[in-house]
């Protein structure tokens, strides 16, 4: 049970209800994270913007890389609810069950090339408390492997998003 009272659909603001209604109609339920975010409309729409623009829209990174970041960071942060949600989202975006399980076993178990693995390892390092210790040479190494500045920034933004959403889920014991 969540550590805070969550907002039910009928108590959400009309603007949030408009965004949440298609999810509710498609799935028959709203996840606890939606109900938590609905406590504050500004938080809800800021978060929704990140989800839409970085995770669901086509961007410079493939859906596979974005969902690998989502799964790896959520697992690293101990957010089981987020891992479960992103297993479903990854499948919806075209990743096979085998690929999802491969990601969850960790970077070394992935069949991706070194370029992908290096970016994913960098994202895990960027998710840590001591990310201020990352050196320019580490970013230069990603660039030498073929990652562009835009792709690196996007990967770190997605990493930051998952630190944010995992924190909300973990602090308020969502999905527990």
């Amino acid at each position: 049970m969540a550590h805070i009272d969550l907002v039910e659909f009928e108590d959400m603001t009309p603007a949030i209800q408009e965004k949440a209604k298609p999810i509710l109609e498609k799935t028959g339920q709203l996840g606890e994270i939606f109900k938590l975010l609905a406590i504050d409309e500004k938080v809800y729409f800021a978060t929704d913007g990140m989800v839409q623009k970085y995770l669901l829209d086509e961007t410079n990174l493939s859906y596979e890389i974005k969902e690998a970041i989502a799964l790896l960071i959520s697992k690293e942060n101990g957010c089981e609810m987020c891992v479960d949600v992103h297993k479903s989202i990854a499948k919806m975006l075209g990743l096979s069950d085998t690929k999802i399980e491969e990601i969850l076993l960790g970077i070394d178990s992935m069949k991706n090339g070194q370029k992908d693995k290096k970016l994913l390892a960098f994202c895990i390092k960027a998710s840590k408390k001591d990310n201020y210790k990352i050196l320019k040479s580490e970013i230069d190494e990603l660039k030498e492997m073929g990652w562009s500045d835009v792709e690196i920034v996007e990967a770190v933004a997605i990493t930051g998003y998952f630190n944010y959403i995992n924190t909300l889920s973990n602090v308020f014991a969502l999905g527990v």
Side-chain angles (χ1 to χ4, degrees):
M1 176 172 235
H3 293 324
I4 194 168
D5 293 332
L6 304 177
V7 180
E8 294 302 326
F9 180 80
E10 55 275 0
D11 297 322
M12 294 175 183
T13 67
I16 293 175
Q17 283 181 344
E18 186 178 322
K19 281 295 260 187
K21 189 173 182 177
I23 298 164
L24 187 57
E25 289 172 347
K26 186 174 183 177
T27 65
Q29 64 181 359
L30 290 176
E32 287 186 343
I33 192 68
F34 291 106
K35 294 177 180 182
L36 176 73
L37 296 170
I39 289 172
D40 184 322
E41 194 172 275
K42 289 177 185 169
V43 172
Y44 184 93
F45 284 107
T47 305
D48 183 66
M50 291 274 304
V51 168
Q52 292 298 319
K53 296 298 178 193
Y54 277 121
L55 298 175
L56 301 178
D57 288 355
E58 282 191 37
T59 64
N60 293 291
L61 296 175
S62 69
Y63 287 122
E64 181 178 319
I65 290 292
K66 293 190 286 188
E67 283 305 312
I69 294 169
L71 289 164
L72 290 167
I73 300 305
S74 295
K75 185 176 178 191
E76 190 77 22
N77 289 334
C79 187
E80 286 303 315
M81 184 196 76
C82 297
V83 168
D84 288 342
V85 166
H86 279 276
K87 284 165 71 174
S88 297
I89 292 172
K91 194 170 184 173
M92 179 188 78
L93 292 173
L95 277 69
S96 69
D97 288 332
T98 303
K99 185 65 185 178
I100 293 165
E101 291 309 314
E102 181 184 299
I103 292 167
L104 289 171
L105 288 172
I107 294 169
D108 292 337
S109 296
M110 294 174 65
K111 293 179 178 72
N112 296 50
Q114 283 305 111
K115 179 183 175 189
D116 289 357
K117 288 180 176 185
K118 192 72 168 176
L119 180 68
L120 295 171
F122 180 82
C123 289
I124 289 173
K125 186 172 183 179
S127 75
K128 303 290 185 191
K129 202 180 253 188
D130 65 349
N131 57 14
Y132 63 91
K133 295 179 180 179
I134 289 176
L135 303 172
K136 181 182 183 307
S137 61
E138 294 172 85
I139 295 169
D140 289 344
E141 188 176 345
L142 290 172
K143 290 172 160 184
E144 288 168 13
M145 295 186 92
W147 293 107
S148 70
D149 288 347
V150 172
E151 290 168 323
I152 296 167
V153 169
E154 185 179 326
V156 173
I158 292 168
T159 299
Y161 170 79
F162 278 95
N163 275 345
Y164 158 72
I165 208 71
N166 296 160
T167 298
L168 285 171
S169 295
N170 288 340
V171 166
F172 296 109
L174 301 184
V176 177

